[in-house]
Amino acid sequence: MASHRKSRPAGTRVAGIRTPALATAALTSVALLSQSANAAPEADDKPSLEEVEKKVDDLYRQAESATDKYNSAKEKTTKQRKRVDTLLDDVAKRTQKLNEAREELGSFAAAQYRTGASAPDTATFLLADTPQDYFDQTQLMDRMTGRQRVAVDDYVTQQSETMKKRQEATESLETLTETQGDLKTAKATVQRKLADARDLLSKLTAEEKARLAAIEREKQQEAARKAEELARQQAAQQKAQEEAAQQQDSGSSSAGSGSSSSTAPADSSYATKAEKALAFARAQIGKPYVWGAVGPGSYDCSGLTQAAWKAAGVTLPRTTYDQVNAGTTVSLANAQPGDLVFFYDDVTHVGIYIGNGMMIHAPKPGTYVREESIYYDGESAIHSVVRPA
């Protein structure tokens, strides 16, 4: 913030001595500066509109970052819950088989008793570490048939595998509990950041809100100018590429046509998929941003890009952190419609490029899916461009 101090007038000097009138003025100036300094803390209590705007934008970005963490934890929770359910179901089935094997072994022990072996001790059998230990202790293994030995081996295997699955289920339940804790933490963070942003905005007067809107309009105008400049650069680049291709074709028609046919299908395939993804994204314009939403009634930023490319038959990960690695990175100058544009150093926002420096994205809470310049938050906010297919 600019300082409240003003530069002191140089004044005039005679033979190096300040005149009495100027000395009086200087003393008055010192007094005024002292009053200004004392009043400064009160003035500083209220931030400028630019500071409010920056604070609100930072809170929304932090909320979006927490949203990605929420999405990641939610995805992990869903997968972990399925794994736990599968393991518990497997344990139940194995326990049933174990009980059946135990009953069969008990019948073998009774049969051995009827043939003259020592009386089987049921308690010893049930408490033995393994059936093998029990039968060794009672000298019954020597008198078992092949079928009975197979039953004992099967029981031992079933018992070992059941214990292993029970351990896996226990560990998975612990992991699930931790992930659910992460989910709750991320959700609470999102809600707190959004509440802080709303609280800041609610304290603005009507005049301040109007000035804030004017600042936003200026940013949008600057973003539009940059988008137009990028569109001109891309158009010039495309024209140069087309001219180079024509020259190559005229130089060697047979070789050129072979080269053209080998590269065209890939470009054509991507363009076709991108067209489907963009058609889907355009159909979502006007739907609200909701953190953690993947459609069809609302979206967050990565939920929209994931759904758009899914409509084109391409599966993208859920979060921006993973989507940024799900494809080929290209330069901004070479961006094509359908490419994903990522923002900020922590990769917490993404939109789908439509050409001419514009994109479709779900901006932030309180807004709707819309077309907007990729420079909406300044050129430095652009992190990278990724071609997902």
Side-chain angles (χ1 to χ4, degrees):
M1 185 176 292
S3 171
H4 290 280
R5 294 184 179 273
K6 298 181 180 178
S7 59
R8 181 179 295 175
T12 59
R13 290 177 181 268
V14 178
I17 302 175
R18 192 183 296 273
T19 63
L22 290 175
T24 303
L27 291 173
T28 304
S29 177
V30 169
L32 290 174
L33 285 170
S34 177
Q35 292 175 4
S36 176
N38 291 334
E42 294 182 6
D44 287 343
D45 285 345
K46 188 172 184 179
S48 68
L49 283 179
E50 288 79 5
E51 289 173 331
V52 170
E53 182 193 34
K54 185 178 184 304
K55 181 66 174 176
V56 170
D57 285 345
D58 285 346
L59 286 168
Y60 278 136
R61 278 192 55 203
Q62 291 170 27
E64 196 160 33
S65 177
T67 296
D68 259 348
K69 292 177 181 176
Y70 170 86
N71 291 337
S72 179
K74 186 177 181 181
E75 189 174 40
K76 289 179 181 177
T77 298
T78 301
K79 291 180 179 178
Q80 201 65 34
R81 184 175 288 113
K82 289 180 179 178
R83 174 170 170 75
V84 168
D85 290 343
T86 300
L87 284 170
L88 290 177
D89 185 55
D90 191 19
V91 168
K93 291 178 179 177
R94 289 182 181 279
T95 301
Q96 177 63 29
K97 290 181 179 179
L98 193 63
N99 291 335
E100 293 173 355
R102 186 187 293 272
E103 291 176 1
E104 186 174 6
L105 290 176
S107 66
F108 289 160
Q112 291 292 346
Y113 171 67
R114 286 194 298 271
T115 60
S118 59
D121 183 348
T122 305
T124 303
F125 174 71
L126 294 176
L127 295 176
D129 290 337
T130 68
Q132 185 76 43
D133 293 340
Y134 171 76
F135 283 103
D136 284 344
Q137 293 166 11
T138 55
Q139 293 84 41
L140 292 177
M141 287 298 292
D142 293 339
R143 292 186 291 277
M144 280 191 171
T145 64
R147 175 171 168 271
Q148 290 170 337
R149 288 178 178 275
V150 169
V152 171
D153 291 340
D154 181 59
Y155 180 87
V156 173
T157 301
Q158 290 286 349
Q159 185 184 51
S160 175
E161 291 181 355
T162 301
M163 291 177 65
K164 186 185 299 183
K165 292 296 181 180
R166 282 176 179 166
Q167 181 62 28
E168 288 181 19
T170 299
E171 292 173 355
S172 294
L173 279 170
E174 291 174 354
T175 303
L176 177 60
T177 301
E178 292 176 1
T179 309
Q180 287 175 328
D182 294 340
L183 190 65
K184 291 179 181 178
T185 299
K187 182 176 181 178
T189 301
V190 174
Q191 293 173 331
R192 185 175 65 255
K193 298 298 182 183
L194 295 182
D196 289 344
R198 286 192 295 267
D199 184 56
L200 268 177
L201 291 173
S202 68
K203 293 177 180 178
L204 297 178
T205 65
E207 182 180 353
E208 288 172 332
K209 289 179 180 178
R211 281 185 57 202
L212 200 60
I215 293 173
E216 183 63 25
R217 284 196 298 272
E218 289 179 3
K219 287 176 59 178
Q220 293 296 329
Q221 290 169 0
E222 176 63 21
R225 285 193 293 271
K226 286 185 176 293
E228 290 174 2
E229 181 182 349
L230 177 63
R232 286 194 295 270
Q233 292 175 354
Q234 290 179 330
Q237 185 179 45
Q238 183 176 359
K239 183 178 180 181
Q241 289 174 345
E242 290 173 352
E243 290 176 351
Q246 289 174 357
Q247 291 176 358
Q248 184 178 5
D249 288 341
S250 61
S252 56
S253 58
S254 60
S257 62
S259 173
S260 174
S261 62
S262 64
T263 58
D267 295 338
S268 175
S269 173
Y270 180 75
T272 299
K273 293 177 182 177
E275 186 177 350
K276 291 179 181 178
L278 288 172
F280 179 93
R282 287 192 178 93
Q284 312 314 307
I285 291 176
K287 293 182 178 180
Y289 176 107
V290 174
W291 61 270
V294 293
S298 58
Y299 297 89
D300 63 17
C301 67
S302 56
L304 176 65
T305 52
Q306 183 189 48
W309 271 102
K310 182 179 180 181
V314 177
T315 301
L316 293 180
R318 176 64 183 92
T319 68
T320 55
Y321 309 130
D322 294 324
Q323 287 184 9
V324 74
N325 297 314
T328 304
T329 301
V330 298
S331 68
L332 184 58
N334 289 321
Q336 295 182 12
D339 291 350
L340 302 180
V341 185
F342 294 89
F343 297 87
Y344 311 116
D345 292 339
D346 53 358
V347 197
T348 53
H349 189 67
V350 62
I352 184 167
Y353 191 61
I354 61 177
N356 298 326
M358 301 293 288
M359 67 178 172
I360 298 174
H361 70 148
K364 59 187 178 182
T367 63
Y368 299 84
V369 176
R370 65 192 183 201
E371 289 188 11
E372 192 164 22
S373 166
I374 61 174
Y375 298 103
Y376 77 102
D377 204 17
E379 187 172 1
S380 60
I382 299 174
H383 177 275
S384 58
V385 181
V386 172
R387 188 157 299 154

